[in-house]
Amino acid sequence: MEAFDEDLIRALQLDGRAQFSALAEQLGVHRTVVAQRVHELIESGEIRILAAVHPRAVGLPVQVNLQFRITGPTSPVFEHLLSYTNVVFLSEISGQAQGVVEVWAADLEDVGRSVRAIQAIPGVRDVQFSLYDRVLKRLRLGEDPDPNQLSFDAFDIELMAQLQLDGRLTFGELARRTGRSASACRTRVLRLLDSGVMRIGAVRSRLNATSSVLSGVGILLSGDAEGLASAEELLLSIPTIEFAARTLGRYGLIATIAARSIADYTAIVRSIRAHPSVTHVDTWIHAAVWLERYEWSLDRLERLQLAGTPLFPG
């Protein structure tokens, strides 16, 4: 069952609105098995299926990864960070550092304010900074959207708000909640998905231990642009890598691996270390994920719309 759950959750991460019949055919089981297990996973809180809106669409095009050490108790630091509205990922990790946090920001000045605020938290020390230069893979958000494909209106924003609460709402239910027709809802939702601005998928609960091993790697590189491109291709070829980015700062590349087991994780790290352009790899295990935020108040998007501000700055 654990192997089946992993395959099912992975499929739902890629397409949270996939039909049960399509999932059943993909996994080689009966439709009723898929329907029952998806219902159980949602009811137990193991997964939520919801829409994720790309950071550029909410005016937050700058993303940074911060690792930090903690002196003294760790829980008060993480509880403090939970109150930061621009923190989208927060994890207690094993290794030389005790915590990692991802922050989305409007610009570099906003980043500076966030970093200084985190450094000022009692117990936090040795904050290491990596700015995402280019996101190579982001399982829950996909590729960067094309700013020319879509302009927003209040209807789009209302649909995104509803789907952030439940990504599997039917077009009929969306029609009832928005006061529009089901066909109009279908057209708009598909346009949002096709543009890359919004993606719907499963988010799993990771605060408690699960059957998968969530880990991170920070990679130092030597060599030219060709070697960097080759290392990036290696990361993108590994199916269980959920996130990968080219970064400026401490590392040249950062990736998140959702391995099936410690043995699987070890084999992946060995393959990365063996790449000729890789000079060093730091590794850490996400022992407890405190926050993985995809639901956003769309007030910011509404303000941008009313102000006539471009939705895709930078």
Side-chain angles (χ1 to χ4, degrees):
M1 180 60 74
E2 285 185 0
F4 173 73
D5 281 355
E6 289 297 322
D7 290 338
L8 177 58
I9 291 172
R10 179 73 176 183
L12 289 168
Q13 286 175 322
L14 295 172
D15 183 2
R17 291 181 70 86
Q19 296 293 318
F20 292 147
S21 55
L23 292 169
E25 182 177 355
Q26 178 182 341
L27 299 174
V29 297
H30 196 274
R31 181 188 180 282
T32 55
V33 175
V34 170
Q36 178 180 344
R37 193 56 186 147
V38 170
H39 177 74
E40 291 171 348
L41 289 168
I42 293 173
E43 286 296 308
S44 69
E46 175 68 15
I47 65 170
R48 295 171 296 151
I49 298 176
L50 46 84
V53 180
H54 197 281
R56 286 184 177 272
V58 288
L60 300 171
V62 183
Q63 296 105 52
V64 296
N65 177 288
L66 303 172
Q67 289 192 18
F68 53 90
R69 296 184 182 184
I70 298 174
T71 300
T74 59
S75 292
V77 173
F78 291 105
E79 289 166 358
H80 191 121
L81 282 165
L82 287 174
S83 66
Y84 285 35
T85 58
N86 60 345
V87 168
V88 300
F89 182 81
L90 176 63
S91 178
E92 191 167 355
I93 62 174
S94 64
Q96 294 183 346
Q98 284 73 57
V100 62
V101 59
E102 182 176 326
V103 172
W104 290 1
D107 49 37
L108 290 178
E109 184 177 350
D110 192 14
V111 170
R113 286 193 295 268
S114 299
V115 172
R116 288 189 290 272
I118 291 171
Q119 289 174 322
I121 297 173
V124 171
R125 64 186 183 92
D126 297 338
V127 177
Q128 299 288 335
F129 177 97
S130 295
L131 173 70
Y132 296 160
D133 181 37
R134 179 187 173 194
V135 175
L136 306 171
K137 180 178 183 180
R138 188 162 12 207
L139 180 64
R140 289 285 295 118
L141 292 169
E143 301 293 330
D144 282 351
D146 180 353
N148 299 315
Q149 286 191 18
L150 185 63
S151 59
F152 287 88
D153 61 18
F155 184 23
D156 295 311
I157 294 171
E158 191 172 5
L159 287 170
M160 286 189 283
Q162 293 295 332
L163 290 168
Q164 282 191 144
L165 300 175
D166 183 352
R168 289 189 69 89
L169 287 173
T170 66
F171 296 125
E173 180 61 23
L174 286 170
R176 188 187 68 80
R177 296 188 183 196
T178 62
R180 308 296 182 102
S181 69
S183 61
C185 290
R186 182 181 186 279
T187 298
R188 290 298 186 98
V189 169
L190 293 179
R191 190 171 69 162
L192 287 165
L193 293 171
D194 290 343
S195 71
V197 167
M198 181 181 74
R199 190 166 182 175
I200 298 173
V203 178
R204 70 189 307 164
S205 172
R206 284 171 165 151
L207 183 57
N208 299 314
T210 66
S211 56
S212 64
V213 179
L214 191 70
S215 61
V217 292
I219 303 168
L220 300 180
L221 299 156
S222 67
D224 54 17
E226 184 177 345
L228 171 61
S230 176
E232 291 175 354
E233 288 176 7
L234 171 63
L235 293 182
L236 293 175
S237 71
I238 300 172
T240 53
I241 285 187
E242 293 193 352
F243 174 84
R246 183 189 303 170
T247 57
L248 302 173
R250 183 178 185 182
Y251 301 114
L253 295 169
I254 287 179
T256 301
I257 306 167
R260 295 293 181 92
S261 64
I262 288 293
D264 184 26
Y265 156 74
T266 302
I268 292 170
V269 173
R270 283 175 179 163
S271 71
I272 295 171
R273 292 186 194 276
H275 190 279
S277 293
V278 172
T279 60
H280 180 76
V281 178
D282 282 339
T283 63
W284 54 90
I285 299 292
H286 292 283
V289 175
W290 286 70
L291 176 69
E292 192 171 3
R293 186 201 307 271
Y294 294 105
E295 308 95 323
W296 286 88
S297 166
L298 296 180
D299 292 347
R300 183 182 183 87
L301 188 55
E302 291 174 335
R303 289 197 302 271
L304 290 171
Q305 180 204 7
L306 291 172
T309 306
L311 292 172
F312 299 90

